[in-house]
Amino acid sequence: MSSVEEVEAALAEERAALAGAGDERALEEWRTRVLGRSGRLTAILRSLGERPPELRRELGRAANQAKAALERDLAERQRELAERELAALSAGSLDVTLPGRPRPRGGLHPITQTLREILAVFSEMGFASVEGPEVELDRYNFDRLRIPEDHPARDMWDTFWFDEEPSGAGRLLLRTHTSPMQIRYMERHEPPIRIVVPGRCYRYEATDATHEWMMQQVEVLAVDEGISMADLKGTLWECARRLFGSGRQVLLRNSYFPFVEPGVELAVDCFACDGTDPACTVCRGSRWLEIMGAGMVHPEILEASGYDSGRYTGFAAGMGVERIAMLRYGVEDIRHFYQNDLRFLSQF
Ligand code: PHE
């Protein structure tokens, strides 16, 4: 028969057992064995009903007190063990009390973001995106675009040349624009054509706030029956509206590129001075920032590609991605984009 002494003996015994439990698993085993649903003290409490009434009360109180005492001891022991474990860990080279290291979040480069935006606008208008070589033959970069060896227009596109020459194919250079892909694409495809060509271009020139020796362009080419200047205008207008919103002013004025006739350029009003500062370094006091050249594909180029220029017409445009990014984000110096300064880049 259980008596109060027996409860006390059990209490002493289990206290000793608890002191010997050295890790979390041992503690859990102890808890189940002693305090659990079929544990030792629970069994005593459950059996109270079968006891003689004179014993019941005293035994019940003793058992309940023992149970509460053991629960307190268990909590105390758990705390002790946790502290010991922490101390052991921090004694080593690992300081687990240090706050975690934040993982810096990456992001897309502002030029990549702008490029994707441009491609998305044209994709929605039905243009496919294709790419061409950055190392180009001078034939595609110049001659086939109606810029012969001695043409002064070559000065506009001074570039980096390679010493080696693949036999008979002509000289190699770093392309100065994405326009060579107009020729490459028309060589291999029949109208209707609607493509955009993103890619890096290179120019041998002094850098300043709006010029870099490497930049990205997106070429646009559409060739089909009945394509007119109105299509060119509408497409560029839509592109500018999508990229800059309706707040900025857009100017289309005539210009010259040997591979289009007529030729135009599209400019947006200067975000830095709004056209008010004659000493502005961004627009050089001119109010307008040119963001693309464009025009109707020259009939000689259509003919050279084997198209009947009486039947087919087309428009082409080439835009500078950095210029567009400058305008969109209000960046005053193009050189920021490629200096890899995270203080600049992480703002986008
Ligand atoms: N390739 C020209 C440039 O880089 C831009 C252009 C493209 C102009 C297509 C007309 C038509 O300056």
Side-chain angles (χ1 to χ4, degrees):
M1 270 275 158
S2 283
S3 66
V4 173
E5 287 79 52
E6 221 175 305
V7 170
E8 271 160 10
L11 176 62
E13 204 177 299
E14 297 306 351
R15 270 195 164 142
L18 182 60
D23 58 28
E24 216 168 304
R25 201 161 129 205
L27 281 187
E28 182 54 23
E29 265 168 29
W30 181 92
R31 195 191 62 76
T32 334
R33 187 171 55 74
V34 180
L35 303 170
R37 235 187 306 155
S38 41
R40 196 170 172 184
L41 275 165
T42 320
I44 295 178
L45 285 165
R46 279 222 184 107
S47 68
L48 284 179
E50 300 151 17
R51 307 288 168 137
E54 64 279 8
L55 199 61
R56 228 179 262 168
R57 195 187 163 103
E58 208 188 342
L59 189 58
R61 184 181 314 122
N64 271 319
Q65 276 170 0
K67 196 176 178 206
L70 286 173
E71 273 164 356
R72 267 196 313 276
D73 287 357
L74 173 64
E76 170 67 13
R77 184 79 184 130
Q78 274 167 336
R79 208 175 44 78
E80 244 173 60
L81 280 182
E83 257 167 31
R84 200 198 293 165
E85 206 175 319
L86 190 62
L89 277 175
S90 31
S93 56
L94 175 70
D95 183 352
V96 291
T97 64
L98 277 179
R101 270 179 216 145
R103 242 192 240 205
R105 201 141 58 92
L108 290 176
H109 192 280
I111 297 301
T112 307
Q113 291 181 33
T114 304
L115 178 60
R116 290 193 180 178
E117 188 80 27
I118 296 169
L119 295 181
V121 170
F122 281 95
S123 162
E124 283 169 36
M125 291 193 280
F127 287 74
S129 176
V130 296
E131 290 182 47
E134 286 174 37
V135 175
E136 188 51 284
L137 289 162
D138 68 344
R139 184 165 85 241
Y140 287 110
N141 197 80
F142 292 125
D143 305 70
R144 297 278 306 270
L145 288 163
R146 305 184 67 253
I147 314 168
E149 189 84 66
D150 50 4
H151 197 288
R154 282 211 183 196
D155 293 348
M156 277 164 71
W157 294 288
D158 199 1
T159 187
F160 303 92
W161 295 84
F162 287 77
D163 292 334
E164 313 85 63
E165 201 176 300
S167 53
R171 292 182 69 194
L172 284 172
L173 48 75
L174 290 183
R175 69 174 171 196
T176 63
H177 48 183
T178 41
S179 300
M181 259 309 269
Q182 289 186 31
I183 308 296
R184 286 183 178 273
Y185 198 85
M186 286 190 279
E187 258 178 8
R188 289 164 177 248
H189 299 84
E190 291 296 315
I193 291 172
R194 274 172 189 75
I195 55 162
V196 278
V197 187
R200 288 190 169 75
C201 305
Y202 304 82
R203 289 188 191 174
Y204 181 70
E205 66 184 337
T207 56
D208 63 25
T210 53
H211 294 82
E212 261 288 6
W213 59 270
M214 191 280 291
M215 35 114 202
Q216 309 223 35
Q217 285 194 337
V218 175
E219 192 82 8
V220 186
L221 176 68
V223 181
D224 204 346
E225 286 180 45
I227 287 202
S228 75
M229 193 83 185
D231 298 302
L232 166 66
K233 230 174 122 173
T235 307
L236 299 189
W237 234 256
E238 174 63 11
C239 172
R241 194 188 59 77
R242 286 282 305 271
L243 292 174
F244 305 116
S246 35
R248 292 242 78 90
Q249 295 195 26
V250 172
L251 173 77
L252 196 63
R253 63 185 163 197
N254 70 322
S255 183
Y256 173 71
F257 302 95
F259 36 95
V260 288
E261 181 58 37
V264 293
E265 68 185 33
L266 187 87
V268 179
D269 64 333
C270 181
F271 63 89
C273 72
D274 284 323
T276 56
D277 179 8
C280 177
T281 52
V282 177
C283 68
R284 293 204 198 88
S286 74
R287 177 168 181 206
W288 299 101
L289 270 174
E290 192 207 326
I291 56 165
M292 64 178 102
M296 302 305 292
V297 180
H298 200 289
E300 279 179 22
I301 286 184
L302 294 171
E303 291 291 337
S305 306
Y307 303 165
D308 174 0
S309 64
R311 181 172 167 205
Y312 293 111
T313 48
F315 69 78
M319 61 193 85
V321 181
E322 288 79 3
R323 290 278 182 97
I324 291 173
M326 286 173 81
L327 280 162
R328 275 165 57 94
Y329 302 123
V331 173
E332 304 201 359
D333 195 319
I334 196 171
R335 291 167 291 195
H336 286 311
F337 288 123
Y338 298 115
Q339 276 163 353
N340 278 341
D341 187 336
L342 285 177
R343 288 170 303 177
F344 171 77
L345 294 174
S346 57
Q347 295 175 57
F348 302 93

